[in-house]
Amino acid sequence: MPFTFHSHSGQFCRHAKGTLENVVKAAISKNMLVLGLTEHVPRSRTQDLYPEESDLTTNDLHTAFHAYVDEARRLRSQYGSQIHILIGAETEYITHDTLDELKRLRKKYDLDFLVGSLHHVNGMPMDFSPELYEQIVEHCSGSRSEMFRRYFDEQLVLLQELQPEIVGHFDLIRIFHPYSAGVEDPLLQDDIRNLALRNIDYAISYGAIFEINTRAWKKGLRDAYPQRDLLQEILARGGRITLSDDSHGEHDVCMHYDRALAYLREMGVKQLHYLRKTAEGAVQVRVLDNATEHEFWAANGFS
């Protein structure tokens, strides 16, 4: 689609590649209309640093985020005539203090929008590696069902506290679930499914947009996030949908958008929503009708 609202660069994220400027240039080369920049918000506790950040301090993360916003503003000024750039951030929720810090951060930098993502359960990172994922299962008394319950409960708190404009990879908790080993999907259990539906209903109630996040295919999942069972529920409830590549460098821009086009058509999605900032500084939600027929697809060889 001619937009993405979830992106990273190696300049400001250790598990990404390349510069933020190259991400912008790649988006322009793909004829994208809107690019949402969303580097991760900084974490403030040493124990929350990832293994790849072992040489950094939390102060380094805050310094890097400040540099990110400065660079994003420079790029918007330089390339704004070629692509509409929004400056945002991807959230964390590790402790309640995390959310308080994020509220202050958003106000300090006057961010255009937030991607509301949950990467931790019980204060532990779930999407970094299968090994860390299994450690969370162990901390949940060996119960994958309990892990899913806690994920959706913590996700609700994040949505309530921050009301992010974009809901990021709604069912990320599925990332390393051992589907290939025949382990039952906890979301088949009524109580867990109801927690997910509760969160969907809440996000819809305040006007959130759910991203179809194509990075799930890079992780080997059947569908983009959210998987089709939950996407069907979002659509049935009148939820608003957008598209994001969750790029981690210039080479990921529009990653798997060919599969996204087929997925949109299969799921009957004809309308997508996106954000734009007015000349007065207000961020508005706009609608793209007949989304799967947009010239963007053919121009990039996706149709």
Side-chain angles (χ1 to χ4, degrees):
M1 207 63 265
F3 38 76
T4 180
F5 294 97
H6 194 154
S7 62
H8 304 281
S9 71
Q11 189 172 354
F12 301 107
C13 174
R14 281 290 177 92
H15 58 270
K17 298 179 180 179
T19 66
L20 193 61
E21 183 164 12
N22 282 346
V23 170
V24 172
K25 288 180 176 179
I28 293 171
S29 74
K30 300 285 188 180
N31 299 306
M32 299 187 86
L33 301 179
V34 184
L35 172 62
L37 303 178
T38 57
E39 299 290 6
H40 290 284
V41 297
R43 283 148 281 125
S44 296
R45 302 190 310 173
T46 300
Q47 66 254 46
D48 296 326
L49 295 175
Y50 288 102
E52 65 196 23
E53 298 168 331
S54 59
D55 61 323
L56 300 178
T57 67
T58 56
N59 285 338
D60 292 330
L61 299 185
H62 283 268
T63 298
F65 190 83
H66 184 92
Y68 151 64
V69 175
D70 282 348
E71 176 66 354
R73 289 170 178 165
R74 182 188 74 81
L75 295 172
R76 179 158 64 185
S77 177
Q78 181 170 343
Y79 295 102
S81 63
Q82 301 175 68
I83 190 169
H84 190 82
I85 296 176
L86 295 177
I87 302 172
E90 184 177 14
T91 69
E92 302 284 359
Y93 173 31
I94 305 173
T95 70
H96 201 83
D97 289 343
T98 309
L99 300 179
D100 292 335
E101 291 172 5
L102 212 161
K103 292 174 186 176
R104 293 192 294 269
L105 192 80
R106 177 170 195 173
K107 184 176 182 180
K108 176 180 178 179
Y109 291 106
D110 192 24
L111 299 175
D112 296 326
F113 74 107
L114 294 177
V115 173
S117 300
L118 184 67
H119 302 97
H120 294 72
V121 174
N122 279 13
M124 302 172 64
M126 66 177 163
D127 62 333
F128 185 81
S129 69
E131 293 75 21
L132 288 177
Y133 186 91
E134 291 302 319
Q135 285 183 27
I136 301 174
V137 176
E138 292 175 12
H139 277 257
C140 293
S141 302
S143 171
R144 298 183 188 278
S145 297
E146 180 60 23
M147 179 184 178
F148 274 58
R149 289 188 192 96
R150 294 183 188 183
Y151 172 83
F152 286 113
D153 280 343
E154 292 179 21
Q155 184 185 59
L156 179 64
V157 175
L158 184 150
L159 294 173
Q160 291 173 330
E161 291 286 330
L162 300 178
Q163 295 197 341
E165 288 80 358
I166 307 292
V167 179
H169 37 58
F170 180 79
D171 52 353
L172 182 65
I173 188 64
R174 286 170 144 162
I175 185 170
F176 295 125
H177 183 76
Y179 293 104
S180 61
V183 179
E184 182 182 79
D185 186 348
L187 273 159
L188 294 175
Q189 300 173 31
D190 287 344
D191 65 323
I192 297 175
R193 184 176 180 82
N194 287 337
L195 295 179
L197 297 181
R198 173 201 64 189
N199 293 5
I200 289 170
D201 288 338
Y202 179 77
I204 290 173
S205 75
Y206 75 80
I209 303 172
F210 296 83
E211 66 171 11
I212 292 180
N213 184 312
T214 62
R215 195 169 184 82
W217 281 309
K218 189 170 185 175
K219 299 296 184 180
L221 295 177
R222 176 188 179 188
D223 302 320
Y225 303 115
Q227 300 290 289
R228 65 186 59 215
D229 58 334
L230 294 179
L231 178 58
Q232 287 170 339
E233 295 287 358
I234 292 168
L235 294 172
R237 287 165 158 74
R240 301 192 289 189
I241 301 296
T242 194
L243 191 62
S244 293
D245 53 28
D246 198 352
S247 58
H248 281 61
E250 61 192 276
H251 300 298
D252 283 350
V253 173
C254 293
M255 175 181 62
H256 294 309
Y257 272 28
D258 54 342
R259 297 180 70 173
L261 176 59
Y263 190 47
L264 291 172
R265 287 173 172 166
E266 181 183 357
M267 301 303 294
V269 178
K270 300 182 183 301
Q271 188 181 78
L272 293 175
H273 291 75
Y274 63 103
L275 304 175
R276 281 190 72 95
K277 192 171 185 178
T278 68
E280 294 73 30
V283 176
Q284 297 180 338
V285 177
R286 298 191 181 180
V287 179
L288 182 66
D289 289 316
N290 300 313
T292 58
E293 306 306 316
H294 194 277
E295 61 185 4
F296 164 83
W297 303 108
N300 286 282
F302 296 144
S303 59

